[in-house]
Amino acid sequence: MSRFFRAADSDTESEESEEEELLSEEEEEQKPKPTAPVPAGGKVPMSRFLRTAGEDSDEESSEEEEELEDDDDEEEEEAPAEQKKTPGSRFLKGADSESESEEEEKKIVKSAKDKRVEEIEACAKSMDNALKINDWVKIQDDFDKLTRLVQRQALVNEATPPLYIKTLVDLESSLNAALAKEKTASKKMQANNARALNAMRSKLRKTLKENEDQVKLYTEDPEAFERAYAAQQAPPEPATAPASKTKKVRIELDDEEEGAEGDEFTTVGKGGKALSFTADQVLKTLAAVAEARGKKNTDRAEQSRILEKLAEAAGTTYQEIRVLLALISSRFDYNPMATFMPLDAWASARSELDRLVNILTADAQYAVVEDITLEYSDLDERSPQKEGGLVRVRGSVISFVDRLDDEFTRSLQNIDPHGQEYVARLKDERGLYETICRAQMYFEQKDEGESAARVAYRRLDHIYSKPDILIQALEQGVVTAMPEFSQSSSSLSVAGTSAALIDALCKQLYKSGQPFLRTRAMLSHIYHHALANNFETARDMMLMSHLQDSIHAADAGTQILYNRAVVQLGLAGFRQGLVREAHSILQEIFSTQRVKELLAQGLHQQRYGVILTPEQEKSDRARQMPFHMHINLELLEAAFLVSCMLVEVPTLASLDTEEQRRKAASKPFRRLLDYAERQVFMGPPEHTRDHIMQASRALQDGEWEKCRDLIEGMKVWSLMGNEKQVKEMLAQRIQEEGVRTYLFTFAPYYTTVSLELLSKTFSLSVRSVTSIVSKMIWNEELAASLDQETGVVVFTRTELSRVQQLAQALADRVSNLVESNEKALDAKLGGGPEARAPGEGGKGGERKEGGAPGAGGERRFDRTRTQRTGAARTGTGFRGERFSQGLGNNRVGGAQNAGARTRVAA
């Protein structure tokens, strides 16, 4: 009886006894109905709905049902005999009627084992019918179904039926006959039938290889093979003592048992399938593991442990390479819900990749190639003698290197950067760098250009943003781990300096056929030059590469690298004292008000009703830079605002009207300055912006010493390596711009100003003051003359009449109208000023080429570029032009002026 009904009978035994007492009196009065004889066991026959609990078919049920009833059988043997006798209930008295007995005679109960055998027979018969009409599409479907049925039998520890082996043998002969007939036939079979025939050839070859031993035994003596199968399926003789049923036990891989048994041991995999770890069975076990990969309920950790044992049991180089390729791939099959790869699995994958590369480097007769058309049997042992000197294995070493590096970056993105775990994880970069260098040396030895270029970029990506001392530490670790690497052409010992090493890697990437690698190599090269304060070299490389014109079409990662290179270039100019260049470079980044997002150092703030989808937010998070590669935003903002102060405060003082001042100043600086001027009370500065705004107001009032003290009092300058030189440079520039601001502000109120007075007021030499005033007069910024005999500056006052003022206002409006027309024309043509005809666009063409190179024209052109900020941000052609002109206008004898002079002379 099933355990579900036995429990109910035992719990209600007392209730049934009471019911029997009540019914006994009625049974005495009425004539008892004929009932079926009670069996010897004392059990009352049950209804057909409950008959499965007590029928003899339990002996023929499947093993799965027997396992479920193991515990109940044991309890039933221990229970006393009185509890086994269940009194008949009134609900079961009429359960054995004649109609029900007739239905029971018609009903045939089959075990799961018999059903599986019948399914196999039906499938084999269907294949025989399809063979008669040469329908290979139907044969292929039935063969796949038959294979699944046999695999299901193997999962329950049942032997392979002879009918399956017979079907394989017959199918092989029919397949060979069909192929021979197809070659000689004048009319070819249909395309889908031919494809199914070819597919069956490969499937059948693989299946015969797996069942090679059984096929051999069957072909030698089919009758003996069937007798052996029948003897194996015969039920065992009953034992005198009831033996407990054996349960399935999964054997765990124990290190102690492994050491005791050595290489000759066997474990049980999923479904009770035996896995052999001997050297001659490595490939077969590997194929079984590969077949289970990706399926439902597959234990990834257990698969990795099995592959580890296979790697230890591998007897040949070919087996070891095959197992390592599968093992490294299984390491990356971690839980998809996890944000990054487990650290222990990552470390194991890195060590196994090093082992694989060492094997391939030591034995040149084996090669791992990315060739999907390469065909060979996974169960055959291959050697250089059989393959003609070189064994080619399907796989990709460079893909493993890329994935290992990507997983390292992903872990740094998701670990808290302010904890010790991030620091500990960052220490693994040294081992990863050694793996990358080992792979680069292997690809250079194999002369695989594209793979060598990809791994060279991975190496460059780890060192382009680091200072020299860290690069030297990484290279020293590589030489310690691999002494032979010191002889490589791409090592630091051969290059000499870190700059020469990066230059060698970038030149290698410049020769690559992939534009993606060339672009990123150029940007990394520019970044490193800017980091080393080589501003002129980095600027020239940026201008000559013309990346400004095409960067808007690049991928997001390349655009982030471009923004980082531009920002680092601006910082390099600021450290060198080139304040105007730094201002023009950084203004484009800060005008967007999305500095964090452009540098991939933070997510975009959702405002104005813009909501990112989960996919967009996930992709944005995946593009974030690791914390140790961030550019300090506070330092960057300080450099930009100080540059704005030194450039725009004198410019604001030189303009007369408020409208001109509003157009001249950049929006971020102007907004902060207006906010500071609206404050009734200004307290002590608390952060960087407060320092710079108070310093700007002091500079406007002529208090250059207060301005200098506020700027030098900022703690953010300690983040720069040359803090002392930067402070000295800023103090000198504040003095010079203080002179300019003073002259612009108070020129209308003076007739003459003594040079010696200016020298004492701003603590500058007379020679420096004379140079500043002369430059202002030459650039027509100051309406004055210099009297060197008396040492004074004589101001020239020019009173404009009403007509002149109106004419000047009209000229400004016409200039704005022409500029708006040029913008509309550029948008229509889809390009910058170079897209227009030579006679169109006065400012971009005729005025620049035929006009005199006066200061007024240059200022007007600069203002035009400043007002085109919106078009520059959209990347429609003005971005690169504005960047190159912003740098080139400040160069003495620059490329643009030289080109203009050449055209005028012609």
Side-chain angles (χ1 to χ4, degrees), residues 368-426:
V368 177
V369 296
E370 300 180 10
D371 188 2
I372 60 176
T373 62
L374 184 63
E375 293 186 0
Y376 55 85
S377 177
D378 294 337
L379 301 177
D380 293 340
E381 178 66 33
R382 303 169 64 196
S383 62
Q385 293 77 14
K386 299 180 182 179
E387 302 288 337
L390 179 63
V391 178
R392 302 166 72 236
V393 186
R394 285 190 301 268
S396 177
V397 177
I398 184 61
S399 298
F400 290 152
V401 176
D402 292 342
R403 182 69 185 276
L404 201 67
D405 194 16
D406 292 340
E407 292 294 343
F408 177 76
T409 304
R410 188 176 293 113
S411 64
L412 292 177
Q413 290 172 347
N414 292 277
I415 296 176
D416 182 16
H418 305 290
Q420 293 297 325
E421 186 181 1
Y422 188 89
V423 179
R425 180 57 173 161
L426 199 58

Side-chain angles (χ1 to χ4, degrees), residues 305-333:
R305 290 194 297 268
I306 292 174
L307 291 173
E308 288 176 1
K309 299 303 178 183
L310 286 178
E312 296 176 1
T316 62
T317 304
Y318 175 72
Q319 293 180 358
E320 192 171 3
I321 292 174
R322 286 283 309 280
V323 173
L324 287 176
L325 288 173
L327 179 56
I328 297 172
S329 299
S330 68
R331 297 291 188 190
F332 295 122
D333 290 343

Side-chain angles (χ1 to χ4, degrees), residues 99-123:
S99 59
E100 293 176 355
S101 61
E102 293 178 358
E103 293 178 0
E104 291 172 2
E105 292 177 359
K106 298 178 182 178
K107 182 179 178 181
I108 300 176
V109 180
K110 296 181 181 180
S111 64
K113 177 180 177 181
D114 297 337
K115 292 179 181 179
R116 287 193 293 268
V117 174
E118 288 184 358
E119 289 180 357
I120 293 176
E121 293 176 354
C123 195

Side-chain angles (χ1 to χ4, degrees), residues 32-62:
K33 297 181 181 180
T35 57
V38 179
K43 295 183 181 179
V44 180
M46 297 183 180
S47 174
R48 56 173 176 161
F49 301 103
L50 307 176
R51 188 170 299 279
T52 55
E55 288 180 348
D56 295 334
S57 61
D58 290 343
E59 298 177 359
E60 299 176 0
S61 61
S62 62

Side-chain angles (χ1 to χ4, degrees), residues 792-892:
V792 295
V793 180
V794 181
F795 295 101
T796 303
R797 292 184 179 180
T798 304
E799 295 291 341
L800 298 179
S801 63
R802 179 62 178 169
V803 177
Q804 291 175 333
Q805 294 177 358
L806 293 176
Q808 186 176 4
L810 180 61
D812 292 339
R813 292 184 180 181
V814 171
S815 175
N816 293 335
L817 180 61
V818 172
E819 182 182 348
S820 62
N821 290 339
E822 288 179 359
K823 288 183 179 180
L825 182 61
D826 293 341
K828 184 177 181 180
L829 297 178
E834 65 276 1
R836 298 192 294 268
E840 299 177 356
K843 287 188 179 181
E846 295 177 359
R847 188 174 303 174
K848 185 179 178 183
E849 295 179 2
E858 291 293 333
R859 288 200 304 273
R860 190 178 298 111
F861 188 77
D862 292 341
R863 192 180 303 118
T864 301
R865 287 187 291 101
T866 304
Q867 294 174 357
R868 290 183 178 180
T869 305
R873 283 199 300 267
T874 58
T876 58
F878 289 109
R879 183 173 188 171
E881 179 190 7
R882 177 184 176 212
F883 186 86
S884 59
Q885 290 168 352
L887 295 179
N889 286 341
N890 297 308
R891 298 170 60 191
V892 179

Side-chain angles (χ1 to χ4, degrees), residues 401-466:
V401 176
D402 292 342
R403 182 69 185 276
L404 201 67
D405 194 16
D406 292 340
E407 292 294 343
F408 177 76
T409 304
R410 188 176 293 113
S411 64
L412 292 177
Q413 290 172 347
N414 292 277
I415 296 176
D416 182 16
H418 305 290
Q420 293 297 325
E421 186 181 1
Y422 188 89
V423 179
R425 180 57 173 161
L426 199 58
K427 294 179 180 178
D428 294 334
E429 186 178 15
R430 183 171 182 175
L432 177 60
Y433 188 75
E434 294 175 3
T435 301
I436 293 175
C437 293
R438 181 178 285 105
Q440 182 183 7
M441 188 169 60
Y442 163 71
F443 287 124
E444 290 177 353
Q445 177 183 348
K446 294 291 184 179
D447 196 17
E448 298 182 11
E450 292 301 324
S451 299
R454 287 172 60 183
V455 76
Y457 170 70
R458 291 286 177 174
R459 182 183 177 190
L460 177 64
D461 191 40
H462 280 274
I463 62 176
Y464 81 94
S465 60
K466 288 182 171 57

